[in-house]
Amino acid sequence: MAAPIETKVKASTTVTFLVGLAVAVLNDVQADASLLGSLPAWLQAPVLALVPAGLAFLAGWKAKHTPRDVADPLAKGV
């Protein structure tokens, strides 16, 4: 039997998806992709990459670990 997916992984993946989707929707609503228009062009790409990644890290950090059965060899890191 495969080990369950960790809650931390689910939380990080969900947050990354939702933040990326929100940025895309907000950019589309602006109609001219100027959501970050006040930032220099060279800084926009790193910001768009780092914001979802940073929020995914925080979601994973805050989420609880998924408990595993002690008899499960995957729980022991084997």
Side-chain angles (χ1 to χ4, degrees):
M1 183 172 146
I5 297 174
E6 285 272 351
T7 303
K8 290 179 166 293
V9 174
K10 291 178 189 177
S12 295
T13 303
T14 302
V15 166
T16 302
F17 172 74
L18 292 176
V19 171
L21 183 63
V23 168
V25 167
L26 287 173
N27 245 352
D28 192 44
V29 167
Q30 291 292 326
D32 61 0
S34 64
L35 175 64
L36 301 174
S38 61
L39 291 176
W42 62 270
L43 188 58
Q44 290 181 14
V47 166
L48 287 175
L50 291 174
V51 168
L55 292 174
F57 172 81
L58 290 175
W61 182 272
K62 291 295 287 178
K64 296 182 182 212
H65 280 285
T66 301
R68 291 192 181 175
D69 183 15
V70 178
D72 183 4
L74 293 176
K76 297 176 186 174
V78 176

